[in-house]
Amino acid sequence: MSRIDAQFAKLKASGRKAFVSYTMAGDPDYDTSLEILRGLPGAGVDIIELGLPFTDPMADGPTIQLAGQRALEAGMTLRRTLDLARTFREQDDATPIVLMGYYNPIYSYGVERFLTDAKDAGIDGLIVVDLPPEEDDELCIPAQAAGISFIRLATPTTDDARLPRVMQNTSGFVYYVSITGITGAAEAEAGDVAPEVARIKAAGDLPVVVGFGIRTPERARAIASVADGAVVGSAIVSRIAEGASVAEVLSFVRDLAGGAHSA
């Protein structure tokens, strides 16, 4: 059983929903990013999404775009991102880490080498937003053969004809994007999300977590109440961009996690 599967089984047994956090690797610098990363489990994070900095993040809004720029300017690379995860694993061998980003850096690094190094670093899953199911041979199938989950995005525009293709070869969980558009845009509405989550769950047996448009503990609770978990990214990254201390960032994360866990 993977760390992701084990975490969801543990949460289900305790009647709790998952809280998933997103931070950009190397934002605002390597050492601060590592300190935040190490503090996330203690702040209530069940699954860590770790952003892979990239120059052209097409699905991300200004907040995460700027985080990627800060990380790149601070010298962050794919190799250093894996080093960050590997160092985190020295103190935490249980919390799942999902690497989220784009295919270009992975392709440039070399898929086979990347999967070997990612597995060695303790990466449990991948979300690669610009690889559709038609390109599963590129990374999805090799990743799963290497023991790394490939997590697919479903969106409000994923219709019933498309959904089975999206679910095919997906593992770990399904990430439902609650709004159309980029990260950090509109707010997610539980009333809109609930029927979509039910539709996805009817198409497969994977947990469904919901992200985009969640900024407050109250919103995290509302969304988690209709899904298997909630993801918060831009709101956390905004605190880092504002220069909040590590303690302040983790306090904010703790409040968000408390919201999701109270659903």
Side-chain angles (χ1 to χ4, degrees), residues 34-206:
L34 176 59
E35 191 176 353
I36 292 170
L37 200 65
R38 282 176 160 165
L40 292 174
V45 172
D46 301 301
I47 298 172
I48 292 170
E49 278 184 18
L50 184 61
L52 175 61
F54 180 49
T55 52
D56 299 288
M58 65 187 76
D60 294 309
T63 299
I64 291 178
Q65 286 184 26
L66 290 169
Q69 289 179 20
R70 289 192 298 270
L72 291 169
E73 289 168 3
M76 209 61 185
T77 61
L78 175 50
R79 181 188 295 277
R80 293 198 78 201
T81 298
L82 295 179
D83 287 344
L84 191 72
R86 187 177 291 107
T87 303
F88 172 86
R89 282 280 174 245
E90 293 172 359
Q91 296 183 4
D92 187 318
D93 194 44
T95 306
I97 300 176
V98 174
L99 192 63
M100 185 171 187
Y102 298 83
Y103 186 45
N104 183 281
I106 296 170
Y107 178 80
S108 299
Y109 192 90
V111 169
E112 185 175 349
R113 175 182 168 219
F114 165 74
L115 292 173
T116 298
D117 292 352
K119 186 69 175 177
D120 179 69
I123 299 297
D124 302 291
L126 301 174
I127 300 175
V128 182
V129 299
D130 54 348
L131 274 183
E134 288 75 14
E135 306 296 336
D136 274 359
D137 288 341
E138 286 282 334
L139 182 62
C140 172
I141 291 172
Q144 301 205 87
I148 298 174
S149 294
F150 199 88
I151 295 150
R152 194 82 67 189
L153 301 177
T155 75
T157 60
T158 305
D159 61 20
D160 289 340
R162 180 66 174 169
L163 186 57
R165 191 66 184 268
V166 169
M167 299 294 288
Q168 183 180 359
N169 297 326
T170 300
S171 58
F173 59 90
V174 177
Y175 186 134
Y176 179 67
V177 176
S178 64
I179 57 173
T180 55
I182 55 176
T183 58
E187 286 195 343
E189 296 291 343
D192 297 330
V193 167
E196 293 299 303
V197 170
R199 186 168 66 93
I200 295 166
K201 291 179 78 67
D205 57 1
L206 291 174

Side-chain angles (χ1 to χ4, degrees), residues 2-45:
S2 72
R3 291 187 187 95
I4 296 172
D5 295 338
Q7 188 71 292
F8 276 109
K10 179 181 174 182
L11 288 163
K12 185 176 181 179
S14 63
R16 298 174 78 187
K17 301 300 182 71
F19 179 69
V20 184
S21 69
Y22 171 97
T23 55
M24 179 66 71
D27 177 35
D29 56 67
Y30 183 96
D31 291 340
T32 305
S33 179
L34 176 59
E35 191 176 353
I36 292 170
L37 200 65
R38 282 176 160 165
L40 292 174
V45 172

Side-chain angles (χ1 to χ4, degrees), residues 174-262:
V174 177
Y175 186 134
Y176 179 67
V177 176
S178 64
I179 57 173
T180 55
I182 55 176
T183 58
E187 286 195 343
E189 296 291 343
D192 297 330
V193 167
E196 293 299 303
V197 170
R199 186 168 66 93
I200 295 166
K201 291 179 78 67
D205 57 1
L206 291 174
V208 179
V209 302
V210 177
F212 285 46
I214 304 171
R215 298 187 183 89
T216 66
E218 295 75 21
R219 188 71 59 173
R221 182 184 188 282
I223 295 299
S225 71
V226 299
D228 295 301
V231 186
V232 179
S234 293
I236 298 170
V237 173
S238 291
R239 295 298 193 280
I240 296 170
E242 291 163 2
S245 67
V246 171
E248 289 169 336
V249 171
L250 295 176
S251 176
F252 178 61
V253 171
R254 188 173 291 108
D255 290 343
L256 293 165
H261 291 152
S262 67

